[in-house]
Amino acid sequence: MSEVVSYQLKDNIGVITVNNPPVNALAQVVREGILNAINTAQDDASEAIVLRCAGRTFIAGADITEFGKPPKEPALPDVLSVLENSSKLVVAAIHGTALGGGFETTLACHYRCAIASAKVGLPEVKLGILPGAGGTQRVPRIAGVKAALDMITSGNPVAASKAKDMGLVDELVSGDDLEAAAISYAKELVASGAPLKRIRDIAIDPATIEPGFFESSRKQVARRARGQIAPDRIVSAIQAAVELPFDDGLKKERELFLELVSSSESAAMRHIFFAERQAAKIKDLPKDTPTRAIKKVAIIGGGTMGGGIAMCFANVDIPVVMVEVNDEALQRGLSIINKNYGITVKKGKMSEERMQTRLELISGTTDYADIADVDLVIEAVFENLDLKKEIFSKLDATCKQGAILATNTSYQDVNAIADATSRPQDVVGMHFFSPANVMKLLEVVRGDKTADDVLATAMKTGKQIGKICALSRVCYGFIGNRMLSGYGREAQGLLLDGCTPAQVDSALENFGMAMGPLAMGDLAGLDVGYKARQSRTDLPDDPRLYRMGTVLVEMDRLGQKTGAGYYKYDPETRARMSDPEVEALIKKEAEALGVEQRDISDEEILQRCFYPLINEGALILEEGIAQRPSDIDVVYVYGYAFPAAKGGPMFYADQIGLKNVYDKICEFRDRYGEDYWKPAPLLKELAEKGSSFAEWAEQQ
Ligand code: CAA
C-alpha cells in the first residue's frame, strides 16, 4: 500500500501494519496510509480489522517535527473519524508505548488489546499542548472525568494492567506474537457478535461532577505548573467533554489545540524535547563507539550525594559497594539510604519487597581491596582537590585494568585528578545533582585524555540509570555551576539596590523557577556559599559583593537549618515568611555602603538574574566547553529547574533577541562596572549580525 503502512488480509481479518521507525510517529504518510487501508478494508472480504505496528513500539504520537509547519492533509482527527465510523470492527494491538496521537488512534478503534509490558498515555502537556485528536473527549467517557484530568494534566503514561482497570484497554494478551493474539481476539469478537463500541456514543452525566470541580482543578493545575497555559486549557477541554455534545467537544478541543500549538510555551517545550535527545550525542564520537560493560559499581563516600548515586544504580539492579573511611561513617551512609527508600515505601510508591531487593544490592566496605573487581567507581567525597587526587591514586593502585574511574566533583579540575593516576584515559567526570536519586541531570565531563569508549560508556550508563546527560569540557564549575555564579551575585545585589527578598524570589518564581535564589540559598544553607567564596581568589575586592549573604551568616542566620536566613521559617510547617528585621538590615547596609535604593521592576529582576547566565553561556560556547546552546538549556532545565516552558536560558535569549540582551548588558556594564558585566564576544558578534544562538549552532 505504502512504504510505511501495509494492509494484508489474513483469513477473515484485515491487518493494517504501521512501520515508520524509530517510533512510528504519525507523519503525513502514516495518516494517509491508515486512511487508505481502512477504506480498502471496507470493501474486501475482511470481517474485522487489526491495527498494529512493526518495530519497538505502537505509534508514539504525532510527528513533533511537523508542528509549527503548515498542516498537511489528512488531519489526524479526520482519519480517526473514518476509523471510528468503520463498518467493520477495528481492534488496536498495543505494544511499547501508545502515546499522544498514537493512544488517541487506539481510542477511535472499537476495541483495544495490549501486551502486559505496554504503556499508554497522553504526554502532550509536556510539549505545551493538549491531545488534539479526541483524547480529551474520549478518555473521560471511559475512565471518568477525574482520572482523565489526572492522566492528561500530568502527562504520565500508565501501564497496561492499570489501563485495563481504568477501562482504557479491553484485553491483556500474552505470548510473543501480538499480531496472532490480536487476530484471534478479533475473530472471537466477530464470532460472539460483539458490537462496534464507539467511545463517542458514551454519555457523561454532568450530575456526577461535583459543583466547583473544574474551578478547583484549574486552581490546582495553576499552582502546580506556574505560568503555563496548557494545563488550564486541558481543564477547559475536559469540561467541554462534560458539557457539550461529542462533536462540539471535539471542535472545542481542536480550537484549544491550535491555540497551544502556536504558543511560545509549546515552541520552548518542543525545543527541550529535541535538545534532550541531541545532548546525548557527542559530535566527534561515532554512534558505534564501543562501550565497556558496567556490571558492578563502587561509590567512594557515603554522604548524601554518594548515597543518592548508589540508589540510582540499585534502582536498575546494578550491585553497588559503598566505601567509607570507617564503620561509623559507613553505617550512617547506609542508614540514610534505608531511610530514603523507607519514605518512598511509606508514600506507597514502592513495595516493601522491592525496597529489600534494592537494599540487598547495596553493600559497604572500608577496604579498597574489596572494590578491585568493579567496572566503574564514582568518587563522591567533599570538594578538596588534594583529597580527590589521593583517592584516585589509591584507586589506580587497586582497581582492575579497564575499570572506569569517575569523579562527581562539581568544581575541581578533572584533568588534575586524572593525572594523579597512571591511566588518565580511564578517568571521566560524572557530575550528579542533589538529591542524586531524584534530579534528572548528569553532566558528563570529558577530560583532555578521556578515552572515547570511556566517554561513550559514561553517557550510556547515565541513560541506563534514568539520567539526561549533557557533555561538558573541563572548566571551573563546568557548564551549570560556572553559569550560576552571576545569578546568585545579582540576586543579592538587587537587595542592596532596593528589593526585598520576597520581591526577588517571587519575580523568578512567577517566571516559572521552582524556587527563587534567595529561598534556595536558605534551603541549601547560606554558610555553603559563604565558605565557597572565602576560598576564591578571583573575586573583585568590593564590599557590596554578596554583602547580604555575608552579613546574615555572620549573624548566624544560616537559612532553614537555623530557622532564619533571608526569611524566617515557621518551626513546625517550615513555611517561609518575610522578616521585617532583614528588610531593615538591608536598608541599613545599603546606607552604610552608600548605595542609593530605588524601586525595581520585575522585568529588571529577570534581566539582572538571567542575563549573566546567558552571557556566561556564550563564553562557554566560544570556549567549546558545551557542544551546543541547546545542551546548556538541557543543563538548566534538568539540573537547576529553569522552566521547560521557557526553553532554557539560551533559547529564552533567542526569543528576547540577542541584540536586546546585549544592549541591556552594556547598560548594566555602564552602571555597575566591567568586573561584573562584560559582554561575551560571541554575544556581541551575534547581536551585531542580528543572529541567534540557534543559527550559530546550525553553522557549527
Ligand atoms: N515525533 C517525532 N520524532 C520523535 C517522536 C515524535 N513523536 N518521538 C520520538 N521521536 C524521535 C526522537 O527525537 C529520537 O530521534 P533521534 O534518534 O534522531 O534523536 C527518536 O525518535 C527516538 O526517540 P527516543 O530517543 O526518545 O527513544 P526512546 O526509546 O528513549 O523513547 C518514546 C521512545 C517513549 C516514544 C519517546 O521518544 C517519547 O516519549 N516520544 C514522544 C511521545 C510524545 O510526546 N507523543 C505525543 C506527541 S504530540 C501528539 O501526539 C499530539 C496529538 O494529539 C496529535
Side-chain angles (χ1 to χ4, degrees):
M1 285 206 80
S2 84
E3 264 182 33
V4 293
V5 181
S6 61
Y7 176 75
Q8 243 185 321
L9 196 57
K10 297 195 173 176
D11 297 335
N12 59 337
I13 305 295
V15 179
I16 304 174
T17 303
V18 177
N19 187 7
N20 183 29
V23 297
N24 288 314
L26 282 162
Q28 188 273 340
V29 280
V30 175
R31 299 194 299 272
E32 189 176 66
I34 295 175
L35 186 65
N36 291 340
I38 289 288
N39 284 333
T40 305
Q42 302 307 303
D43 301 323
D44 69 6
S46 61
E47 290 184 83
I49 301 161
V50 164
L51 174 60
R52 63 176 286 269
C53 289
R56 67 199 221 214
T57 178
F58 192 83
I59 300 165
D63 184 340
I64 303 168
T65 59
E66 286 184 359
F67 292 164
K69 296 182 186 155
K72 287 192 208 152
E73 298 286 321
L76 186 60
D78 299 336
V79 177
L80 299 194
S81 163
V82 172
L83 190 59
E84 191 167 52
N85 290 320
S86 159
S87 61
K88 294 175 184 175
L89 177 152
V90 188
V91 173
I94 307 170
H95 75 292
T97 40
L99 299 176
F103 181 45
E104 289 174 298
T105 301
T106 74
L107 295 172
C109 297
H110 306 111
Y111 293 87
R112 285 156 294 285
C113 66
I115 57 171
S117 60
K119 286 184 180 163
V120 302
L122 294 168
E124 284 85 346
V125 69
K126 296 183 181 175
L127 297 169
I129 53 174
L130 54 69
T136 63
Q137 305 304 298
R138 291 192 176 94
V139 174
R141 282 178 159 76
I142 41 175
V145 170
K146 166 109 187 35
L149 202 93
D150 288 348
M151 184 180 192
I152 306 175
T153 56
S154 75
N156 295 332
V158 294
S161 60
K162 184 166 178 211
K164 175 144 193 305
D165 293 343
M166 292 168 77
L168 298 168
V169 161
D170 299 289
E171 185 82 0
L172 292 184
V173 296
S174 49
D176 299 334
D177 191 345
L178 173 61
E179 181 182 350
I183 290 177
S184 97
Y185 178 50
K187 284 182 177 174
E188 272 169 37
L189 289 168
V190 170
S192 66
L196 299 181
K197 263 196 335 188
R198 299 195 315 171
I199 296 172
R200 59 174 291 141
D201 297 335
I202 301 170
I204 305 175
D205 178 3
T208 58
I209 314 298
E210 283 168 38
F213 173 78
F214 289 110
E215 285 66 36
S216 68
S217 301
R218 230 175 230 112
K219 282 190 194 137
Q220 206 179 351
V221 296
R223 264 199 308 275
R224 231 175 31 208
R226 220 185 324 238
Q228 286 179 41
I229 52 174
D232 174 84
R233 304 304 189 268
I234 289 169
V235 178
S236 300
I238 294 179
Q239 187 168 4
V242 177
E243 294 172 356
L244 302 177
F246 184 80
D247 286 328
D248 293 347
L250 269 191
K251 251 190 231 149
K252 179 78 186 166
E253 178 195 78
R254 195 74 198 153
E255 220 173 82
L256 295 167
F257 175 82
L258 292 174
E259 176 201 342
L260 292 175
V261 88
S262 58
S263 67
S264 56
E265 172 176 320
S266 173
M269 291 174 105
R270 282 174 350 235
H271 162 76
I272 283 298
F273 177 86
F274 289 114
E276 180 187 322
R277 282 149 183 88
Q278 186 84 337
K281 294 167 191 144
I282 299 179
K283 281 186 178 172
D284 61 337
L285 228 58
K287 234 180 156 186
D288 56 356
T289 304
T291 52
R292 301 185 189 178
I294 305 297
K295 297 202 174 112
K296 191 174 176 189
V297 176
I299 312 289
I300 313 294
T304 314
M305 198 44 128
I309 301 173
M311 290 170 76
C312 292
F313 285 94
N315 291 348
V316 295
D317 299 321
I318 296 178
V320 198
V321 190
M322 187 184 264
V323 185
E324 257 299 353
V325 282
N326 56 43
D327 278 334
E328 199 194 334
L330 188 59
Q331 288 319 316
R332 202 169 41 234
L334 293 172
S335 71
I336 293 174
I337 295 177
N338 219 314
K339 195 176 116 205
N340 285 345
Y341 275 131
I343 294 171
T344 317
V345 170
K346 248 196 192 146
K347 284 186 188 159
K349 291 187 178 166
M350 190 192 284
S351 68
E352 183 79 36
E353 199 188 346
R354 187 85 185 108
M355 164 172 160
Q356 284 314 322
T357 343
R358 289 184 185 177
L359 286 174
E360 277 161 25
L361 286 164
I362 303 175
S363 58
T365 183
T366 53
D367 184 354
Y368 274 59
D370 291 339
I371 61 164
D373 63 337
V374 302
D375 305 301
L376 166 68
V377 186
I378 302 176
E379 165 275 312
V381 303
F382 60 88
E383 293 291 348
N384 177 307
L385 185 60
D386 290 336
L387 175 65
K388 288 185 192 272
K389 284 189 188 167
E390 192 189 312
I391 289 173
F392 273 75
S393 111
K394 248 189 198 170
L395 292 173
D396 189 22
T398 329
C399 294
K400 69 178 184 190
Q401 285 306 310
I404 295 178
L405 311 179
T407 170
N408 173 54
T409 181
S410 311
Y411 292 99
Q412 306 295 341
D413 183 346
V414 174
N415 291 326
I417 295 173
D419 285 339
T421 73
S422 64
R423 36 174 142 166
Q425 73 282 359
D426 292 339
V427 177
V428 67
M430 290 178 81
H431 179 213
F432 290 77
F433 288 70
S434 191
N437 51 317
V438 177
M439 293 297 286
K440 295 287 277 180
L441 181 68
L442 178 69
E443 265 182 333
V444 173
V445 185
R446 180 183 205 167
D448 291 348
K449 297 177 188 153
T450 306
D452 287 357
D453 64 336
V454 169
L455 205 54
T457 309
M459 298 294 279
K460 185 175 165 200
T461 306
K463 183 163 187 200
Q464 193 185 351
I465 58 174
K467 300 297 174 204
I468 292 163
C469 302
L471 184 72
S472 175
R473 283 273 187 187
V474 177
C475 67
Y476 183 80
F478 315 122
I479 299 173
N481 283 340
R482 171 170 162 182
M483 283 168 63
L484 201 62
S485 136
Y487 177 69
R489 178 198 75 214
E490 287 305 309
Q492 292 199 31
L494 282 159
L495 299 179
L496 286 183
D497 285 346
C499 292
T500 62
Q503 194 190 344
V504 174
D505 282 341
S506 10
L508 292 156
E509 286 163 6
N510 290 337
F511 174 84
M513 298 297 291
M515 198 183 249
L518 302 172
M520 184 58 96
D522 274 359
L523 179 68
L526 298 181
D527 51 327
V528 177
Y530 178 86
K531 278 188 203 135
R533 288 197 293 279
Q534 286 192 323
S535 61
R536 281 180 69 176
T537 49
D538 59 325
L539 294 175
D541 185 18
D542 179 349
R544 289 170 306 175
L545 188 59
Y546 300 109
R547 183 67 194 155
M548 292 319 302
T550 304
V551 169
L552 293 173
V553 169
E554 285 166 0
M555 291 169 72
D556 213 27
R557 291 183 68 121
L558 305 184
Q560 287 199 22
K561 61 185 166 192
T562 56
Y566 288 107
Y567 299 91
K568 54 185 178 184
Y569 293 88
D570 184 298
E572 305 232 312
T573 62
R574 290 209 176 167
R576 87 183 189 216
M577 295 172 288
S578 292
D579 189 346
E581 201 185 315
V582 173
E583 286 162 23
L585 195 67
I586 294 171
K587 277 204 171 66
K588 198 176 118 205
E589 286 297 325
E591 222 172 271
L593 292 165
V595 179
E596 202 172 311
Q597 292 209 308
R598 60 191 165 88
D599 283 341
I600 293 179
S601 66
D602 284 0
E603 190 188 6
E604 181 175 338
I605 296 174
L606 298 184
Q607 291 165 340
R608 295 267 299 274
C609 291
F610 289 142
Y611 289 10
L613 288 182
I614 297 165
N615 198 49
E616 199 67 35
L619 286 173
I620 279 173
L621 288 174
E622 279 179 79
E623 292 168 21
I625 299 293
Q627 297 191 94
R628 328 169 169 90
S630 60
D631 285 14
I632 297 181
D633 290 334
V634 166
V635 166
Y636 264 80
V637 167
Y638 292 109
Y640 299 84
F642 192 96
K646 297 289 194 302
M650 308 314 270
F651 181 87
Y652 175 60
D654 279 352
Q655 303 308 298
I656 298 166
L658 296 191
K659 172 92 173 64
N660 295 329
V661 176
Y662 173 72
D663 287 348
K664 204 47 151 181
I665 289 180
C666 291
E667 194 185 311
F668 290 147
R669 175 198 56 202
D670 297 344
R671 199 190 302 164
Y672 296 103
E674 259 214 343
D675 276 345
Y676 306 117
W677 293 95
K678 191 169 174 184
L682 178 64
L683 178 64
K684 180 170 190 267
E685 181 195 321
L686 297 177
E688 283 170 354
K689 279 204 284 203
S691 185
S692 63
F693 289 126
E695 277 170 14
W696 175 84
E698 269 170 31
Q699 287 153 13
Q700 296 308 299

